[in-house]
Amino acid sequence: MKMVAQMKQRYNELMPSPSEVKYKMCVVEFNVPGAANGGTDKGPNGHRIDSIPIANGVVKAGGACDLIKYYHDKHDEFAAQVVNYDALIVRINPGQLSQGTPQGTQKKFDDLMNSLVAMGKPVWSSPGVQTKMGAKDALCKIRNLKCGLIDTFAYYDAETLEEQFKQTMAFQPRVIKQNRGSAGEGIWLCWLEGKDYCKKFGDASLGDDDKLRLMEMNDNHVEFHTVKEFITFCVHGPDHPDAGSWRSTFPGQYLKGGKEAGGQLVDQRLLPRISEGEVRVLMTGDVCQMIIHKKPEGGLSAVGGNSAYTYYEPSDPKYADLLAKLLYDIEHGLMDALELAGEPLPLLWTCDYIPKDAEDGTRGVTEYVVGEFNCSCVGVSKFQAVCGGEKTLADVSDEDYFEASKLTDLMGRQAMKMVAQMKQRYNELMPSPSEVKYKMCVVEFNVPGAANGGTDKGPNGHRIDSIPIANGVVKAGGACDLIKYYHDKHDEFAAQVVNYDALIVRINPGQLSQGTPQGTQKKFDDLMNSLVAMGKPVWSSPGVQTKMGAKDALCKIRNLKCGLIDTFAYYDAETLEEQFKQTMAFQPRVIKQNRGSAGEGIWLCWLEGKDYCKKFGDASLGDDDKLRLMEMNDNHVEFHTVKEFITFCVHGPDHPDAGSWRSTFPGQYLKGGKEAGGQLVDQRLLPRISEGEVRVLMTGDVCQMIIHKKPEGGLSAVGGNSAYTYYEPSDPKYADLLAKLLYDIEHGLMDALELAGEPLPLLWTCDYIPKDAEDGTRGVTEYVVGEFNCSCVGVSKFQAVCGGEKTLADVSDEDYFEASKLTDLMGRQAMKMVAQM
């Protein structure tokens, strides 16, 4: 009787919070100045109808919850107030903060929410989550997940549009959407004319003269154009000579201004079965509360107009496969794919799915793909049905109240669960689940006789970041052990590691040669290579570390978007003479030998008394052309002919054709050939390195952070002091840089580095150098890779306490939770990559 009475109890006002609670939250509202009730989403008491039930859901789950208001003219008081809560549930409709308020109010509020997120406090939903889940290009980011389509892309530049659209259009009819406009202008339905589609994406690519039938959605008018004409219209507009003749009354030029100015096209497959209706999955965190089929009554889709609704329990077998795939994607990187690593799932959100035929062509099988996410103040419909007038929560019928309370009570339980998960810190290795798909290990090595086992470790003998990395795997649903390599127990170690699905090696370069017999490093490397040959991922394997970190790595990526076409490695005199004469005719150079450590044999080279050619390959120097040379060990300058410099590099200063040299080092950089380290790397001199380098921090194929390193004194940010500025992966400042890196990853980075079949490193960095545009366009900055690093990259906020008596427990909460975003992402990426292999 007591439990029945409790279940039938309704609360039309905010329930008192318990006196002692673990977590204290608040529901944040905003009243539009001058609007009746404070907005059409509210009742006469100034509250959204669903706000009190949501807050009461937290209280019922054992937490404390207040209802608080944001006032634009009391921002500082609000900021001082909210910092005392463990989590915020923001219930402000999109756009309301810009109604009746000074310009910049929305940004000021968003900046405050982002500062709370940076402190490790959940904000449901944060500005970043709302923006990225609701963005038009969100569907491009989930293209490799089960809920996405592989042939979904976003275009920010003409080159990618031309290359990728020719492939997607050869495969299936398309919907091409611009990022601007609001009435269907710049939204084109595209069909291939006079030619069959290919059966598999990537099997074919269209030519410029292939024909398209196009329909613009603002007025449904139809045009016929070639592929080249359509691409030209999208990039340059209808007046360009290659655009043909257009009936559209809008100007095209959809990429104008670049990503920062909203220049973007999204390319999606046209899914005609949307006319059968969409399937909405209502989620709170990682739990489905309800599934709704929305069948349009007239019109193509259930968006807008009238729809017939059918409601299903999450357990209904009709949508079991759909829901299972969504939950799989949540567990295996949905938030990472959306560039939201470290953010919690929204507290209340929806996924709208569109039906389609089976990807493999099986007749009678229906599959579903996401058409849209929504997490921007999703309303609880049976409460919000009475908003906007004189009715309050008390006017909601008992039937609707108790039905809707199932959702808000679930939200309360989920909020408490997610805060607990984010507040939990683990200073020791977490126990692995009893049943797992994949079992991994983190491999360490303690230098014999060294305090703590090395300066990278704490008094427990572990690297400070090793335990969080292993725990990241456990949090992602895997098993992970911490194991040690001992040079005198090699065979026991070899027998042990063969039982793991993957190894995460956390041994600093050179440590295996300290205090160990000669050949220990090779013995360990040979073992790792044998595991790679068995198909087991080793992060990072000896081959990956060597080839990504090699001086000639930049030569191998010269044809990728992140490389420079005029970058070469020389192993013999003939290639040096032929190629250097071309590169030197084009741009100033940096010539680096493979030996030496203090700048000897690193030469900056400028052409004297002659102009550089405009395009690489247009000219080649003669033996008697003159060079100005600076050796980096002491910055002394010499003047020589091309022939004298090449002779010095090959034969040394004493050869009769070498001229007279002031350098105190012997040249002969190719001596002994490649096997003996005889090598020169020829790179373009990029003087804008003085503006700083841009480090992209990657885990697998996901960017976790971008850091600009500005040198404070000196030419580059390598060594010395630097000023660091941190950027989210989504920041438009480096959107083009990151898009090109991800393109290169997908289109052959590892192949170019002669690492085909190896997984990407689990934790790695790319350091980029700025340069002027290759085509000479003034004011445009491009970036090229100056260096890769994947050799035991440290997690800096953990490793900051290593080398003495401090352990992981001594890392501050703020640094712990910030750094855990990276190690947790590493765990999810490790699980994903093992599954892919």
Side-chain angles (χ1 to χ4, degrees), residues 510-775:
Q511 279 190 336
L512 284 165
S513 301
Q514 298 174 30
T516 60
Q518 190 171 358
T520 297
Q521 180 75 61
K522 184 179 185 305
K523 202 171 181 182
F524 180 85
D525 288 351
D526 288 346
L527 174 59
M528 294 301 104
N529 288 332
S530 72
L531 295 171
V532 170
M534 293 167 62
K536 295 178 184 288
V538 174
W539 291 297
S540 287
S541 72
V544 171
Q545 291 187 59
T546 300
K547 290 179 179 176
M548 289 193 84
K551 287 185 178 177
D552 61 358
L554 304 186
C555 314
K556 295 173 182 174
I557 62 166
R558 56 188 290 269
N559 293 306
L560 302 185
K561 291 181 183 289
C562 63
L564 281 175
I565 193 69
D566 56 319
T567 307
F568 294 95
Y570 307 131
Y571 307 102
D572 60 76
E574 294 74 20
T575 312
L576 166 62
E577 180 169 0
E578 178 184 351
Q579 208 68 65
F580 174 71
K581 287 180 176 180
Q582 281 195 325
T583 60
M584 194 68 245
F586 175 52
Q587 290 279 332
R589 316 305 301 169
V590 182
I591 305 295
K592 300 178 181 178
Q593 70 155 322
N594 198 37
R595 309 177 181 103
S597 59
E600 68 273 18
I602 299 179
W603 293 93
L604 307 189
C605 311
W606 294 268
L607 189 54
E608 282 282 295
K610 194 171 187 177
D611 291 334
Y612 296 102
C613 63
K614 291 188 176 180
K615 185 180 176 186
F616 175 63
D618 280 354
S620 183
L621 298 182
D623 284 344
D624 295 330
D625 282 313
K626 294 179 174 58
L627 306 177
R628 178 163 59 94
L629 308 168
M630 177 188 288
E631 192 171 17
M632 294 301 288
N633 65 311
D634 58 6
N635 292 345
H636 83 275
V637 174
E638 307 202 22
F639 294 86
H640 289 277
T641 65
V642 169
K643 184 174 183 178
E644 287 171 346
F645 181 59
I646 291 173
T647 302
F648 174 82
C649 290
V650 177
H651 301 292
D654 299 328
H655 191 279
D657 293 333
S660 177
W661 286 79
R662 290 171 50 207
S663 175
T664 56
F665 292 94
Q668 304 181 62
Y669 303 128
L670 307 183
K671 190 174 182 179
K674 187 175 182 178
E675 288 188 27
Q679 173 186 303
L680 279 173
V681 171
D682 177 356
Q683 298 171 249
R684 190 185 309 177
L685 176 60
L686 298 172
R688 288 184 60 188
I689 194 173
S690 61
E691 300 171 18
E693 294 171 84
V694 179
R695 170 161 289 181
V696 182
L697 180 62
M698 300 288 296
T699 171
D701 59 358
V702 173
C703 173
Q704 202 264 343
M705 185 182 293
I706 298 173
I707 308 110
H708 181 260
K709 302 187 293 176
K710 168 71 174 170
E712 295 180 333
L715 177 62
S716 85
V718 179
N721 295 320
S722 296
Y724 288 76
T725 308
Y726 299 88
Y727 296 87
E728 291 293 315
S730 58
D731 196 293
K733 184 175 178 72
Y734 296 113
D736 184 62
L737 180 160
L738 184 56
K740 287 177 177 174
L741 172 58
L742 296 177
Y743 181 91
D744 283 340
I745 287 171
E746 191 169 346
H747 291 83
L749 173 63
M750 297 300 275
D751 293 348
L753 291 167
E754 300 172 3
L755 291 167
E758 288 260 22
L760 286 162
L762 187 57
L763 185 60
W764 58 298
T765 63
C766 314
D767 287 350
Y768 280 81
I769 302 169
K771 59 178 278 292
D772 294 338
E774 201 73 359
D775 64 5

Side-chain angles (χ1 to χ4, degrees), residues 172-347:
Q172 289 281 331
R174 316 304 302 167
V175 183
I176 304 294
K177 300 178 183 177
Q178 71 158 321
N179 199 38
R180 310 175 181 105
S182 59
E185 69 272 18
I187 299 179
W188 294 92
L189 308 189
C190 310
W191 294 268
L192 190 54
E193 282 282 295
K195 196 171 187 175
D196 292 334
Y197 296 103
C198 64
K199 290 187 177 179
K200 185 180 176 187
F201 175 64
D203 279 355
S205 182
L206 298 182
D208 285 343
D209 296 328
D210 282 315
K211 294 178 175 60
L212 306 177
R213 177 164 59 94
L214 309 168
M215 177 188 288
E216 192 170 18
M217 295 301 288
N218 65 311
D219 57 7
N220 292 346
H221 83 274
V222 174
E223 306 202 22
F224 294 86
H225 288 278
T226 65
V227 170
K228 184 175 184 178
E229 287 171 346
F230 180 58
I231 291 172
T232 301
F233 174 82
C234 291
V235 177
H236 300 292
D239 298 328
H240 191 279
D242 293 334
S245 178
W246 285 79
R247 290 170 49 206
S248 175
T249 57
F250 293 94
Q253 303 181 63
Y254 304 128
L255 306 181
K256 191 174 182 180
K259 186 173 184 179
E260 290 188 38
Q264 172 186 304
L265 280 171
V266 171
D267 176 357
Q268 299 171 249
R269 191 185 309 178
L270 178 59
L271 298 172
R273 288 184 61 187
I274 193 173
S275 61
E276 300 172 18
E278 295 171 82
V279 178
R280 171 162 289 181
V281 182
L282 180 62
M283 300 288 296
T284 171
D286 60 357
V287 173
C288 174
Q289 202 264 344
M290 186 182 293
I291 299 173
I292 308 110
H293 181 259
K294 303 187 292 176
K295 169 71 175 170
E297 295 180 334
L300 176 63
S301 83
V303 179
N306 295 319
S307 298
Y309 289 75
T310 308
Y311 298 88
Y312 297 86
E313 292 292 318
S315 58
D316 196 292
K318 184 176 178 70
Y319 295 114
D321 185 61
L322 180 160
L323 184 56
K325 287 178 177 176
L326 172 59
L327 296 176
Y328 180 92
D329 282 340
I330 288 171
E331 189 173 344
H332 292 84
L334 173 63
M335 297 299 274
D336 296 346
L338 291 167
E339 298 173 2
L340 291 166
E343 289 258 23
L345 286 161
L347 188 56

